[in-house]
Structure formats: structure tokens, C-alpha cells
Amino acid sequence: MSETRGKHGPDKSNIEELKLRKDGLDIWQDIEGWAKTGYDSIPKEMLDLFKWYGVYQQKPNEGHFMLRIRIPGGQITAAQARAVAAISREYARDTLDITVRQNFQLHWLTIETLPEIKRRLADVGMTSIMACGDTPRNIIGCPLAGRDKHEILNAQPVLDQVNAAVAGNRDYSNLPRKFKMSISGCEILCPQPEINDIGLYGAVQTVGGTKRIGFNLMAGGGLSTRPYFGKVMNAFVPEGQVLDVCLAILKIFREMGNRESRKKARMKFLVDELGAEQFRNLIIEKLGYDLEEAGEARWNPNAFRDHVGLGEQKQAGYYYMGLISTAGRIVPDDLRIAAEIAEKYGSGQLANTNLQNLLILDIPENKVEEARQLAETAPTLRLEAHPVRQGVISCTGLPFCNLAVTETKGRSQSVVEYLENEVTLDTPIKIAFSGCPNSCSQYQTADIGLRGGKTRVDGEEREAYDLFIGSDMGEAQEFNTQALRAIPSAKVGPVIARILKKFNTEREPGETFQRYARRIIKNGGSFE
Ligand code: SF4
């Protein structure tokens, strides 16, 4: 859900002025007061600052709110999962979504309930601070950090260190725009460092025959209506320098980012304008010490970028269960069941993934079967599912998002159901539904991306989707291009079925969908 431009909010040209008048972090004491005096007592121009505590007005802006809970690296304890499930049930009409930044998102909250919800989250060590607004948002990481058999390093400790340094810190509470970080040591790059403002990903540096592990650095990636891949900074960042480097880049952005135009304020524009070399020099200047040259980043460009299904952990005899949601929409009862599985059969640890799925961690082999049986009682979280269900993601869309043109969660569910009956696949496919061009579901990097819009059918205006295809998240780094225009929503399922059947027939041995689609496009083929 992108920034709101609703009738009650300040014009975007005024938001810089509003942030100077009041730091977003100071809005909480007012929220406590308005919780007593009611929605009508809120000065409407202040609603934009609610985002500093993860709170947005939801459509139709009549007194209900969305809350995004910050979950660094997606890591959740069973107690936290139970608390979120209870809040969903009691205050959020059972709404509960896992987002692509590994947050939980709830809807239908009222101003009166926000203080109590904040207290209940704090009781289990959770917060919504800086989950939205012009701040460092939730830092994403590999949900299997520390357990992945193939990881280069466990990045969760440094991710937590950076999170602790920035979340709630007034040095970073007035950035020109939102700021996104991805820190991982995962060899499939599941947290997509390429499309974050800072992308730190596992690398090995060899000097004089001695190997060290750490991170390579990209900066200035981001999607929305003008997508950019992060620029490679030719820098190897040892674990001990990660915090310094992140803070140095945040300071550069805070000082040099565009505050005149919201449309040009994201860091990707600054990095693009300066170029990689100059931006790297600025980082060195801020750090006060030199950066080492990049190490070797070992990663698999053809991998499906998520950890779902049952998998072995690096700890011998232990497994993770990657439970598959449908576009992130689950129900609180199922999250409660997942918490129960984690406590009864695992270590009590769970993790949200970037593709809106949920892992239960550390299950000993002799408990897997019992864990599986209990998981079968949670219908919105499946251990096994058709490949399209494994990879489908969606943004908030209608009815809640103020900028949405189309409904996304229900549509993705019905499209998945259609495809399950129509298409057999032996490889997961990432299908992303965005309800408008803002690309909160990252339609430019999915295997098949759908962007919501309108079309006319029999003289009547109907919801429709443009279909994008052909991206390369590997070496070539290219975004999807538009293959089909204005598909009426009801026809999206059949159109994707036709494309996937063509893929099944025409693919070369071992070819991924992205590679196949690019081959067809390069050879002048079409998906009409
Ligand atoms: Fe983001 Fe979707 Fe809302 Fe558009 S409709 S702003 S992509 S959540």
C-alpha cells in the first residue's frame, strides 16, 4: 500500500513542511489522546504521520485503519504469532496478511483500539514503529537464516543490529522518502537485494589465500512506477562493518535526497544521478575509512526465490516446514495453529517469507509427521500446493488501498484455483498481482506480473490487468515488459493458463519460466 493522497491528507508538496512541524515519532502521544476523543477529533492533516507507527487510513477513509507490524527478517516467536492472531480476531475482523516485506498487516482497526494493540504487541516484543512513512522500513532477510544448508552466512545477527540502530531513532525519522534494506546470506537471494535501497548479500573474499565471508553491496534499487536495479558498489562489507555502511548510506540519503518532488525523492534517483563510483566515494567519505573491493557472490540465478515445502536444515536431523499461503492472506486461527506446531514440535520459532509464505523452524525428524498432521488442520497454510499457489503474491489492492484500481487478493485466489484445475507444472511460478502501477507486489520482477487498470466490456467499465513478462533476475537484470494489455479480470486465469501450457510444450530441458519467456521475446515471438 503506497503513500496516501486522499482528500483528507496534505498535498505531497506539503509533507516536507508537515515533517518539519512535527516529527512523525511524536504522533503517538496524540494518537493516545484521539483514542479517547474519537476519530472526528483527529486533525485530518495529521493522518499522514500515523504511518510512522505503521498505521494507514484504509479506504474509504471513514474511521478504519490498517496496521503493519514490523518483523525484522520475518522472524517471529510462537508467542508473537499467537498475539497477532488474537489481535486480528478481536480488533481486525479476522483480517491477516503476510506482506512482501515479511510484515503482518491487519485491517479494520479503529482509533480507540490502537493504544491497546500497541501495548499488546509490546508485551511480546513487537512494534509497528517505522513500518511505514519516510523512514527505514522493515529490514528484510532470509527467513531460513542460520538454518539454510546452502547459506553463505547467517545474516540475521547483523540484520537485527541494524534494525536496533534505526527503528525508532530520530536521526532517521525524517528521510526524503521511504527506505528499504535487504540483508541476507542466502544463496538464492530470496530477499531480492537488487530491488532495495540497500542490498547486502553473502559473498566470499579471498586475500592471499585466506577466505573471509561477508557481504557484497548494491544500492539504489527500487520498483514502483520507475523501476531500477540496485547498482553494484564493488564493495565487500565484513559483518563488523555492516552497521557503519548502512548508517553512512542513510545519512547520505537524508542529506542529499530530493525533498522538492515526492516523485523523485527515492534513493534510486540519487544513486542513478551520481553513478555507482561517485556514490561509493560518498560512502567512503561518510565512513571515514576505505571500502574493500567486492568479493565473490555465489548465488543461483535460476532458483525459485523462496523456501517452501519440507526441507532439511543445516542442523543435522532438523527440518523446516515452509507453509504456503495464497497471496499472503491467512486467517488468525491458522496462525494460531502454526504457533502451536512451532511450540509443540519445533523450537517455537517461525518466519514470514518474502513471497508471503510462513516457515516453521527447527522440527526434529521424528516430529515431522505429527507436525504435518497438525498443519493439515490450517486450510490457509498448506505444506504442499500446486506450483502457482507456491509463488502467487499480491498487494493490498481494493477494497482497502486508497490508490487501488483493482481488487487483488480475491482475484489471485480465484486465478490460482482456476490454474490448479487447468495446468500441470513441475516448477514453481511467481505470479504477482498489483492493484495499480505502484507495484507493491513487484510485478516487474515476477515470472508473470499483473498490473491493475480498467477496460470497457460491452460499454461498461470493468477491472482489468496488463500482463508483464520476460524479466531476468539473473545476470542480465531486466524488468518485465508488457506482453498483453487490459485483460478483463475474469479472463486473467484462462490467459495465464494458455501461457503456461505453451511453456510446458515449448520449454527446453531445465529451462525456467523467465528464461523461456525471454527466449520467446528475443526470437520475436509473442504471448498473444
Ligand atoms: Fe500498492 Fe497495490 Fe495499493 Fe497500488 S493498489 S498502492 S500496488 S497496495
PDB file of all heavy atoms in Angstrom, residues 1-3 68 105 394-398 400-406 408 433-443, ligand 1:
ATOM      1  N   MET A   1       0.864  -1.176   0.000  1.00  0.00           N
ATOM      2  CA  MET A   1       0.000   0.000   0.000  1.00  0.00           C
ATOM      3  C   MET A   1       0.899   1.224   0.000  1.00  0.00           C
ATOM      4  O   MET A   1       1.680   1.439   0.913  1.00  0.00           O
ATOM      5  CB  MET A   1      -0.842  -0.023   1.260  1.00  0.00           C
ATOM      6  CG  MET A   1      -2.061   0.860   1.215  1.00  0.00           C
ATOM      7  SD  MET A   1      -2.999   0.480   2.696  1.00  0.00           S
ATOM      8  CE  MET A   1      -4.517   1.266   2.375  1.00  0.00           C
ATOM      9  N   SER A   2       0.833   2.001  -1.027  1.00  0.00           N
ATOM     10  CA  SER A   2       1.727   3.135  -1.149  1.00  0.00           C
ATOM     11  C   SER A   2       1.186   4.334  -0.385  1.00  0.00           C
ATOM     12  O   SER A   2       0.129   4.286   0.210  1.00  0.00           O
ATOM     13  CB  SER A   2       1.890   3.455  -2.626  1.00  0.00           C
ATOM     14  OG  SER A   2       2.969   4.290  -2.816  1.00  0.00           O
ATOM     15  N   GLU A   3       1.928   5.417  -0.422  1.00  0.00           N
ATOM     16  CA  GLU A   3       1.535   6.625   0.291  1.00  0.00           C
ATOM     17  C   GLU A   3       0.146   7.090  -0.150  1.00  0.00           C
ATOM     18  O   GLU A   3      -0.213   7.033  -1.309  1.00  0.00           O
ATOM     19  CB  GLU A   3       2.537   7.733   0.002  1.00  0.00           C
ATOM     20  CG  GLU A   3       3.942   7.341   0.337  1.00  0.00           C
ATOM     21  CD  GLU A   3       4.284   7.633   1.776  1.00  0.00           C
ATOM     22  OE1 GLU A   3       3.567   8.406   2.410  1.00  0.00           O
ATOM     23  OE2 GLU A   3       5.261   7.080   2.265  1.00  0.00           O
ATOM     24  N   ARG A  68       0.544  -2.130  10.023  1.00  0.00           N
ATOM     25  CA  ARG A  68       1.619  -3.013   9.553  1.00  0.00           C
ATOM     26  C   ARG A  68       2.576  -3.229  10.722  1.00  0.00           C
ATOM     27  O   ARG A  68       3.040  -2.258  11.331  1.00  0.00           O
ATOM     28  CB  ARG A  68       2.327  -2.334   8.387  1.00  0.00           C
ATOM     29  CG  ARG A  68       3.146  -3.242   7.545  1.00  0.00           C
ATOM     30  CD  ARG A  68       3.662  -2.493   6.321  1.00  0.00           C
ATOM     31  NE  ARG A  68       2.646  -2.256   5.317  1.00  0.00           N
ATOM     32  CZ  ARG A  68       2.733  -1.313   4.367  1.00  0.00           C
ATOM     33  NH1 ARG A  68       3.781  -0.523   4.306  1.00  0.00           N
ATOM     34  NH2 ARG A  68       1.773  -1.165   3.487  1.00  0.00           N
ATOM     35  N   GLN A 105       0.022  -7.638   8.364  1.00  0.00           N
ATOM     36  CA  GLN A 105      -0.808  -6.466   8.123  1.00  0.00           C
ATOM     37  C   GLN A 105      -2.246  -6.792   8.518  1.00  0.00           C
ATOM     38  O   GLN A 105      -2.768  -7.839   8.144  1.00  0.00           O
ATOM     39  CB  GLN A 105      -0.721  -6.126   6.634  1.00  0.00           C
ATOM     40  CG  GLN A 105      -1.218  -4.763   6.273  1.00  0.00           C
ATOM     41  CD  GLN A 105      -0.715  -4.355   4.891  1.00  0.00           C
ATOM     42  OE1 GLN A 105       0.468  -4.112   4.687  1.00  0.00           O
ATOM     43  NE2 GLN A 105      -1.591  -4.295   3.931  1.00  0.00           N
ATOM     44  N   SER A 394       0.369 -10.977  -3.844  1.00  0.00           N
ATOM     45  CA  SER A 394      -0.483  -9.856  -4.246  1.00  0.00           C
ATOM     46  C   SER A 394      -0.321  -8.712  -3.266  1.00  0.00           C
ATOM     47  O   SER A 394       0.018  -8.904  -2.101  1.00  0.00           O
ATOM     48  CB  SER A 394      -1.938 -10.329  -4.337  1.00  0.00           C
ATOM     49  OG  SER A 394      -2.769  -9.583  -3.524  1.00  0.00           O
ATOM     50  N   CYS A 395      -0.566  -7.515  -3.777  1.00  0.00           N
ATOM     51  CA  CYS A 395      -0.559  -6.323  -2.925  1.00  0.00           C
ATOM     52  C   CYS A 395      -1.904  -6.231  -2.213  1.00  0.00           C
ATOM     53  O   CYS A 395      -2.771  -7.080  -2.384  1.00  0.00           O
ATOM     54  CB  CYS A 395      -0.301  -5.090  -3.776  1.00  0.00           C
ATOM     55  SG  CYS A 395      -1.735  -4.622  -4.771  1.00  0.00           S
ATOM     56  N   THR A 396      -2.101  -5.139  -1.466  1.00  0.00           N
ATOM     57  CA  THR A 396      -3.343  -4.977  -0.708  1.00  0.00           C
ATOM     58  C   THR A 396      -4.540  -4.784  -1.640  1.00  0.00           C
ATOM     59  O   THR A 396      -5.568  -5.446  -1.506  1.00  0.00           O
ATOM     60  CB  THR A 396      -3.219  -3.762   0.227  1.00  0.00           C
ATOM     61  OG1 THR A 396      -2.108  -3.985   1.074  1.00  0.00           O
ATOM     62  CG2 THR A 396      -4.470  -3.567   1.058  1.00  0.00           C
ATOM     63  N   GLY A 397      -4.426  -3.860  -2.589  1.00  0.00           N
ATOM     64  CA  GLY A 397      -5.493  -3.626  -3.565  1.00  0.00           C
ATOM     65  C   GLY A 397      -6.808  -3.177  -2.956  1.00  0.00           C
ATOM     66  O   GLY A 397      -6.883  -2.776  -1.785  1.00  0.00           O
ATOM     67  N   LEU A 398      -7.866  -3.250  -3.779  1.00  0.00           N
ATOM     68  CA  LEU A 398      -9.200  -2.968  -3.254  1.00  0.00           C
ATOM     69  C   LEU A 398      -9.624  -4.117  -2.349  1.00  0.00           C
ATOM     70  O   LEU A 398      -9.173  -5.233  -2.558  1.00  0.00           O
ATOM     71  CB  LEU A 398     -10.207  -2.850  -4.411  1.00  0.00           C
ATOM     72  CG  LEU A 398     -10.082  -1.582  -5.285  1.00  0.00           C
ATOM     73  CD1 LEU A 398     -11.065  -1.677  -6.456  1.00  0.00           C
ATOM     74  CD2 LEU A 398     -10.328  -0.326  -4.473  1.00  0.00           C
ATOM     75  N   PHE A 400      -9.190  -2.048   0.323  1.00  0.00           N
ATOM     76  CA  PHE A 400      -8.590  -1.262   1.402  1.00  0.00           C
ATOM     77  C   PHE A 400      -7.664  -0.139   0.947  1.00  0.00           C
ATOM     78  O   PHE A 400      -7.545   0.879   1.621  1.00  0.00           O
ATOM     79  CB  PHE A 400      -7.797  -2.181   2.339  1.00  0.00           C
ATOM     80  CG  PHE A 400      -8.638  -3.228   3.018  1.00  0.00           C
ATOM     81  CD1 PHE A 400      -8.306  -4.573   2.946  1.00  0.00           C
ATOM     82  CD2 PHE A 400      -9.775  -2.868   3.728  1.00  0.00           C
ATOM     83  CE1 PHE A 400      -9.066  -5.538   3.575  1.00  0.00           C
ATOM     84  CE2 PHE A 400     -10.544  -3.828   4.362  1.00  0.00           C
ATOM     85  CZ  PHE A 400     -10.192  -5.181   4.278  1.00  0.00           C
ATOM     86  N   CYS A 401      -6.920  -0.349  -0.146  1.00  0.00           N
ATOM     87  CA  CYS A 401      -5.875   0.606  -0.511  1.00  0.00           C
ATOM     88  C   CYS A 401      -6.467   1.830  -1.209  1.00  0.00           C
ATOM     89  O   CYS A 401      -7.266   1.705  -2.137  1.00  0.00           O
ATOM     90  CB  CYS A 401      -4.856  -0.060  -1.427  1.00  0.00           C
ATOM     91  SG  CYS A 401      -3.647   1.124  -2.039  1.00  0.00           S
ATOM     92  N   ASN A 402      -6.041   2.993  -0.768  1.00  0.00           N
ATOM     93  CA  ASN A 402      -6.565   4.247  -1.325  1.00  0.00           C
ATOM     94  C   ASN A 402      -6.195   4.463  -2.788  1.00  0.00           C
ATOM     95  O   ASN A 402      -6.852   5.234  -3.471  1.00  0.00           O
ATOM     96  CB  ASN A 402      -6.049   5.425  -0.497  1.00  0.00           C
ATOM     97  CG  ASN A 402      -6.754   5.502   0.842  1.00  0.00           C
ATOM     98  OD1 ASN A 402      -7.875   5.990   0.919  1.00  0.00           O
ATOM     99  ND2 ASN A 402      -6.131   4.989   1.882  1.00  0.00           N
ATOM    100  N   LEU A 403      -5.132   3.847  -3.244  1.00  0.00           N
ATOM    101  CA  LEU A 403      -4.694   4.077  -4.618  1.00  0.00           C
ATOM    102  C   LEU A 403      -5.122   2.963  -5.567  1.00  0.00           C
ATOM    103  O   LEU A 403      -4.870   3.033  -6.763  1.00  0.00           O
ATOM    104  CB  LEU A 403      -3.157   4.203  -4.663  1.00  0.00           C
ATOM    105  CG  LEU A 403      -2.557   5.311  -3.797  1.00  0.00           C
ATOM    106  CD1 LEU A 403      -1.038   5.333  -3.958  1.00  0.00           C
ATOM    107  CD2 LEU A 403      -3.128   6.666  -4.159  1.00  0.00           C
ATOM    108  N   ALA A 404      -5.765   1.951  -5.031  1.00  0.00           N
ATOM    109  CA  ALA A 404      -6.049   0.763  -5.842  1.00  0.00           C
ATOM    110  C   ALA A 404      -7.078   1.022  -6.932  1.00  0.00           C
ATOM    111  O   ALA A 404      -8.040   1.759  -6.740  1.00  0.00           O
ATOM    112  CB  ALA A 404      -6.535  -0.363  -4.943  1.00  0.00           C
ATOM    113  N   VAL A 405      -6.846   0.367  -8.070  1.00  0.00           N
ATOM    114  CA  VAL A 405      -7.809   0.398  -9.168  1.00  0.00           C
ATOM    115  C   VAL A 405      -8.557  -0.943  -9.208  1.00  0.00           C
ATOM    116  O   VAL A 405      -9.700  -1.021  -9.616  1.00  0.00           O
ATOM    117  CB  VAL A 405      -7.077   0.635 -10.511  1.00  0.00           C
ATOM    118  CG1 VAL A 405      -8.075   0.779 -11.656  1.00  0.00           C
ATOM    119  CG2 VAL A 405      -6.180   1.864 -10.432  1.00  0.00           C
ATOM    120  N   THR A 406      -7.872  -2.006  -8.778  1.00  0.00           N
ATOM    121  CA  THR A 406      -8.488  -3.335  -8.846  1.00  0.00           C
ATOM    122  C   THR A 406      -8.393  -4.070  -7.504  1.00  0.00           C
ATOM    123  O   THR A 406      -7.515  -3.787  -6.686  1.00  0.00           O
ATOM    124  CB  THR A 406      -7.790  -4.237  -9.900  1.00  0.00           C
ATOM    125  OG1 THR A 406      -6.405  -4.323  -9.565  1.00  0.00           O
ATOM    126  CG2 THR A 406      -7.954  -3.692 -11.294  1.00  0.00           C
ATOM    127  N   THR A 408      -7.325  -7.373  -5.611  1.00  0.00           N
ATOM    128  CA  THR A 408      -6.191  -8.248  -5.926  1.00  0.00           C
ATOM    129  C   THR A 408      -6.201  -9.581  -5.164  1.00  0.00           C
ATOM    130  O   THR A 408      -5.908 -10.620  -5.744  1.00  0.00           O
ATOM    131  CB  THR A 408      -4.863  -7.533  -5.596  1.00  0.00           C
ATOM    132  OG1 THR A 408      -4.951  -6.996  -4.271  1.00  0.00           O
ATOM    133  CG2 THR A 408      -4.578  -6.423  -6.586  1.00  0.00           C
ATOM    134  N   PHE A 433       0.205  -9.971  -8.432  1.00  0.00           N
ATOM    135  CA  PHE A 433      -0.924  -9.082  -8.724  1.00  0.00           C
ATOM    136  C   PHE A 433      -0.722  -7.744  -8.026  1.00  0.00           C
ATOM    137  O   PHE A 433      -0.620  -7.693  -6.798  1.00  0.00           O
ATOM    138  CB  PHE A 433      -2.220  -9.695  -8.180  1.00  0.00           C
ATOM    139  CG  PHE A 433      -2.762 -10.835  -8.996  1.00  0.00           C
ATOM    140  CD1 PHE A 433      -2.236 -12.114  -8.853  1.00  0.00           C
ATOM    141  CD2 PHE A 433      -3.804 -10.639  -9.897  1.00  0.00           C
ATOM    142  CE1 PHE A 433      -2.736 -13.168  -9.592  1.00  0.00           C
ATOM    143  CE2 PHE A 433      -4.305 -11.694 -10.646  1.00  0.00           C
ATOM    144  CZ  PHE A 433      -3.769 -12.964 -10.492  1.00  0.00           C
ATOM    145  N   SER A 434      -0.677  -6.671  -8.800  1.00  0.00           N
ATOM    146  CA  SER A 434      -0.650  -5.320  -8.224  1.00  0.00           C
ATOM    147  C   SER A 434      -1.922  -4.605  -8.641  1.00  0.00           C
ATOM    148  O   SER A 434      -2.302  -4.656  -9.816  1.00  0.00           O
ATOM    149  CB  SER A 434       0.557  -4.524  -8.741  1.00  0.00           C
ATOM    150  OG  SER A 434       1.706  -4.834  -7.991  1.00  0.00           O
ATOM    151  N   GLY A 435      -2.521  -3.905  -7.690  1.00  0.00           N
ATOM    152  CA  GLY A 435      -3.808  -3.251  -7.959  1.00  0.00           C
ATOM    153  C   GLY A 435      -3.694  -1.892  -8.611  1.00  0.00           C
ATOM    154  O   GLY A 435      -4.698  -1.234  -8.879  1.00  0.00           O
ATOM    155  N   CYS A 436      -2.455  -1.451  -8.879  1.00  0.00           N
ATOM    156  CA  CYS A 436      -2.226  -0.167  -9.564  1.00  0.00           C
ATOM    157  C   CYS A 436      -0.761  -0.137  -9.985  1.00  0.00           C
ATOM    158  O   CYS A 436      -0.004  -1.043  -9.651  1.00  0.00           O
ATOM    159  CB  CYS A 436      -2.589   1.010  -8.648  1.00  0.00           C
ATOM    160  SG  CYS A 436      -1.283   1.501  -7.502  1.00  0.00           S
ATOM    161  N   PRO A 437      -0.309   0.901 -10.682  1.00  0.00           N
ATOM    162  CA  PRO A 437       1.084   0.889 -11.170  1.00  0.00           C
ATOM    163  C   PRO A 437       2.157   0.986 -10.080  1.00  0.00           C
ATOM    164  O   PRO A 437       3.348   0.881 -10.390  1.00  0.00           O
ATOM    165  CB  PRO A 437       1.138   2.133 -12.079  1.00  0.00           C
ATOM    166  CG  PRO A 437      -0.273   2.369 -12.477  1.00  0.00           C
ATOM    167  CD  PRO A 437      -1.098   1.976 -11.293  1.00  0.00           C
ATOM    168  N   ASN A 438       1.775   1.173  -8.824  1.00  0.00           N
ATOM    169  CA  ASN A 438       2.809   1.353  -7.799  1.00  0.00           C
ATOM    170  C   ASN A 438       3.616   0.099  -7.499  1.00  0.00           C
ATOM    171  O   ASN A 438       4.650   0.151  -6.840  1.00  0.00           O
ATOM    172  CB  ASN A 438       2.197   1.903  -6.516  1.00  0.00           C
ATOM    173  CG  ASN A 438       1.971   3.388  -6.650  1.00  0.00           C
ATOM    174  OD1 ASN A 438       2.876   4.134  -6.984  1.00  0.00           O
ATOM    175  ND2 ASN A 438       0.741   3.809  -6.443  1.00  0.00           N
ATOM    176  N   SER A 439       3.155  -1.037  -7.915  1.00  0.00           N
ATOM    177  CA  SER A 439       3.969  -2.251  -7.887  1.00  0.00           C
ATOM    178  C   SER A 439       4.353  -2.741  -6.497  1.00  0.00           C
ATOM    179  O   SER A 439       5.457  -3.224  -6.289  1.00  0.00           O
ATOM    180  CB  SER A 439       5.250  -2.042  -8.724  1.00  0.00           C
ATOM    181  OG  SER A 439       5.900  -3.274  -8.904  1.00  0.00           O
ATOM    182  N   CYS A 440       3.433  -2.607  -5.536  1.00  0.00           N
ATOM    183  CA  CYS A 440       3.758  -3.134  -4.202  1.00  0.00           C
ATOM    184  C   CYS A 440       3.968  -4.645  -4.239  1.00  0.00           C
ATOM    185  O   CYS A 440       4.619  -5.199  -3.362  1.00  0.00           O
ATOM    186  CB  CYS A 440       2.669  -2.757  -3.212  1.00  0.00           C
ATOM    187  SG  CYS A 440       2.520  -0.975  -3.002  1.00  0.00           S
ATOM    188  N   SER A 441       3.420  -5.327  -5.230  1.00  0.00           N
ATOM    189  CA  SER A 441       3.664  -6.774  -5.319  1.00  0.00           C
ATOM    190  C   SER A 441       4.800  -7.099  -6.290  1.00  0.00           C
ATOM    191  O   SER A 441       5.039  -8.255  -6.582  1.00  0.00           O
ATOM    192  CB  SER A 441       2.403  -7.517  -5.757  1.00  0.00           C
ATOM    193  OG  SER A 441       2.235  -7.364  -7.158  1.00  0.00           O
ATOM    194  N   GLN A 442       5.463  -6.059  -6.807  1.00  0.00           N
ATOM    195  CA  GLN A 442       6.678  -6.273  -7.614  1.00  0.00           C
ATOM    196  C   GLN A 442       6.382  -6.969  -8.945  1.00  0.00           C
ATOM    197  O   GLN A 442       7.038  -7.937  -9.318  1.00  0.00           O
ATOM    198  CB  GLN A 442       7.709  -7.074  -6.803  1.00  0.00           C
ATOM    199  CG  GLN A 442       7.986  -6.430  -5.453  1.00  0.00           C
ATOM    200  CD  GLN A 442       8.648  -7.354  -4.445  1.00  0.00           C
ATOM    201  OE1 GLN A 442       8.792  -8.540  -4.688  1.00  0.00           O
ATOM    202  NE2 GLN A 442       9.045  -6.809  -3.314  1.00  0.00           N
ATOM    203  N   TYR A 443       5.390  -6.442  -9.667  1.00  0.00           N
ATOM    204  CA  TYR A 443       5.022  -7.121 -10.916  1.00  0.00           C
ATOM    205  C   TYR A 443       6.133  -7.061 -11.968  1.00  0.00           C
ATOM    206  O   TYR A 443       6.166  -7.855 -12.894  1.00  0.00           O
ATOM    207  CB  TYR A 443       3.700  -6.568 -11.482  1.00  0.00           C
ATOM    208  CG  TYR A 443       3.780  -5.164 -12.027  1.00  0.00           C
ATOM    209  CD1 TYR A 443       4.196  -4.921 -13.325  1.00  0.00           C
ATOM    210  CD2 TYR A 443       3.420  -4.069 -11.237  1.00  0.00           C
ATOM    211  CE1 TYR A 443       4.279  -3.635 -13.828  1.00  0.00           C
ATOM    212  CE2 TYR A 443       3.500  -2.776 -11.725  1.00  0.00           C
ATOM    213  CZ  TYR A 443       3.936  -2.567 -13.020  1.00  0.00           C
ATOM    214  OH  TYR A 443       4.024  -1.289 -13.503  1.00  0.00           O
TER     215      TYR A 443
HETATM  216 FE1  SF4 B   1       0.357  -0.672  -3.731  1.00  0.00          FE
HETATM  217 FE2  SF4 B   1      -1.494  -2.322  -4.594  1.00  0.00          FE
HETATM  218 FE3  SF4 B   1      -2.217  -0.119  -3.313  1.00  0.00          FE
HETATM  219 FE4  SF4 B   1      -1.222   0.059  -5.747  1.00  0.00          FE
HETATM  220  S1  SF4 B   1      -3.127  -0.976  -5.177  1.00  0.00           S
HETATM  221  S2  SF4 B   1      -0.623   1.303  -3.981  1.00  0.00           S
HETATM  222  S3  SF4 B   1       0.274  -1.610  -5.797  1.00  0.00           S
HETATM  223  S4  SF4 B   1      -1.113  -1.822  -2.447  1.00  0.00           S
END
